[in-house]
């Protein structure tokens, strides 16, 4: 898989809803022939008071330094796979400073920015799926994309993760959403963020990579770089679907993908 063999979206048991230790994910990466991987486990739920945080949705505050140390320590053992220190951070408006303080404290290679909440509703949580029946789907897509645009504009994130996650359970608006893709791609370009092609979409009712081909094409036209991720929550998901992701990326006209070190991006040919 060579240069395309990069999986920048791996979770671990620390986040409370993934299984497997880092060593198992790294062994799976080597077996899959990946050249570069990054852990991007869910940061603590910094946007909630400590007593309201759900240990099943993000690591504990006290676990974060240990997470960082372990990734850094495993770097040498990971060879020939190159290992990056990433994180997946929720975007919740009004809590930017708290997140900035966390991100400044550690030597992350990259930070994935994710919208998982709309007005406090965890819309990608299977336990809260009934929320869709109480809402207008077209309006929901507008809210989702405006949060995603705001997230990109904060400058806190390097990559916008699973950028049309709102389609996860297969709820699609009746109207044309091309304008949302176009505006969002333009804002990504202005903000200097990458777009993630995330294969988890293939494994949920949406049955489609995140983002949709039309959204990725809009990003390509605007010059937004791309990263790849499986969003593995189990070691056997490392690299899963990456060949499909790479095919869509190439078919969309990309000749390069992004690689990160110390939050600096470099483009590598695919
Ligand atoms: Zn997760
Ligand atoms: Fe996510
Ligand atoms: Fe994730």
């Amino acid at each position: 898989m060579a240069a395309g063999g990069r999986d920048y979206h791996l979770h671990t048991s620390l986040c409370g809803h993934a299984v497997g230790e880092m060593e198992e994910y790294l062994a799976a990466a080597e077996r899959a022939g990946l050249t570069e991987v990054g852990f991007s486990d869910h940061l603590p739920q910094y946007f909630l008071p400590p007593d309201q945080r759900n240990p099943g949705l993000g690591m504990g505050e006290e676990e974060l330094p240990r997470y960082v140390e372990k990734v850094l320590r495993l770097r040498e053992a990971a060879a020939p796979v190159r290992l990056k220190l990433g994180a997946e951070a929720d975007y919740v408006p009004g809590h930017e400073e708290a997140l900035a303080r966390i991100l400044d404290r550690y030597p992350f290679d990259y930070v994935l920015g994710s919208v998982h909440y709309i007005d406090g509703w965890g819309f990608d949580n299977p336990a809260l799926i009934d929320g869709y029946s109480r809402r207008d789907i077209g309006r929901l897509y507008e809210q989702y994309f405006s949060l995603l645009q705001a997230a990109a504009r904060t400058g806190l994130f390097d990559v916008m993760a699973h950028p049309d996650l709102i389609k996860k359970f297969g709820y699609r608006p009746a109207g044309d959403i091309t304008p949302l893709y176009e505006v969002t791609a333009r804002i990504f370009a202005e903000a200097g963020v990458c777009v993630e092609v995330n294969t988890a979409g293939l494994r949920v009712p949406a049955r489609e990579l995140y983002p949709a081909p039309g959204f990725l094409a809009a990003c390509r036209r605007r010059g937004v770089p791309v990263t790849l991720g499986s969003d593995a929550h189990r070691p056997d998901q490392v690299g899963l679907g990456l060949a499909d992701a790479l095919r869509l990326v190439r078919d969309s006209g990309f000749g390069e993908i992004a690689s990160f070190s110390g939050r600096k991006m470099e483009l590598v040919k695919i």
Side-chain angles (χ1 to χ4, degrees):
M1 225 186 264
R6 287 177 153 76
D7 190 341
Y8 267 23
H9 198 143
L10 305 180
H11 292 280
T12 79
S13 62
L14 267 183
C15 69
H17 61 272
V19 295
E21 300 310 308
M22 286 180 192
E23 292 87 345
E24 298 171 82
Y25 283 85
L26 288 173
E30 190 174 350
R31 276 197 301 278
L34 301 183
T35 54
E36 190 169 292
V37 300
F39 286 107
S40 58
D41 218 351
H42 298 278
L43 288 182
Q45 292 186 297
Y46 66 89
F47 50 94
L48 293 174
D51 62 332
Q52 286 174 32
R53 294 179 190 169
N54 182 343
L57 292 178
M59 66 180 91
E61 195 107 48
E62 71 296 344
E63 289 174 311
L64 178 55
R66 283 190 264 138
Y67 164 79
V68 170
E69 278 162 33
K70 188 160 182 193
V71 175
L72 298 179
R73 181 155 43 82
L74 281 173
R75 270 195 168 151
E76 286 181 32
V81 180
R82 281 190 302 276
L83 177 58
K84 302 288 178 176
L85 173 62
E88 179 171 6
D90 288 298
Y91 172 65
V92 179
H95 298 269
E96 292 82 354
E97 279 180 31
L99 177 56
R101 277 197 298 276
I102 296 174
L103 298 180
D104 281 348
R105 219 174 288 151
Y106 301 99
F108 292 112
D109 288 310
Y110 62 89
V111 177
L112 307 182
S114 296
V115 174
H116 295 123
Y117 298 94
I118 295 175
D119 293 337
W121 171 45
F123 65 86
D124 74 323
N125 184 340
L128 305 177
I129 194 169
D130 61 316
Y132 286 90
S133 60
R134 285 185 265 111
R135 288 173 170 88
D136 177 83
I137 302 302
R139 170 83 192 108
L140 210 50
Y141 270 63
E142 281 169 19
Q143 286 178 288
Y144 172 80
F145 279 96
S146 85
L147 283 166
L148 186 66
Q149 294 160 9
R153 283 179 163 137
T154 62
L156 290 167
F157 310 112
D158 302 300
V159 180
M160 303 319 296
H162 44 59
D164 56 357
L165 181 64
I166 190 68
K167 73 185 176 190
K168 176 173 177 178
F169 296 114
Y171 292 90
R172 309 267 187 170
D176 179 18
I177 49 176
T178 313
L180 286 178
Y181 295 161
E182 292 296 336
V183 173
T184 307
R186 176 174 57 74
I187 290 168
F188 282 7
E190 286 166 6
V193 294
C194 295
V195 63
E196 178 193 55
V197 177
N198 180 311
T199 68
L202 299 171
R203 310 192 290 272
V204 296
R207 294 263 173 255
E208 182 183 77
L209 292 162
Y210 303 113
F215 189 4
L216 190 62
C219 288
R220 169 67 196 144
R221 285 194 297 276
R222 299 285 182 174
V224 177
V226 68
T227 67
L228 306 179
S230 64
D231 216 340
H233 282 71
R234 302 194 316 249
D236 66 357
Q237 291 176 335
V238 174
L240 196 59
L242 233 55
D244 296 301
L246 206 49
R247 192 172 318 119
L248 177 65
V249 165
R250 288 203 177 104
D251 289 351
S252 305
F254 291 88
E256 298 167 313
I257 61 170
S259 171
F260 280 89
S261 292
R263 307 205 64 181
K264 297 254 180 306
M265 188 191 69
E266 190 190 333
L267 291 170
V268 285
K269 296 232 177 314
I270 48 169

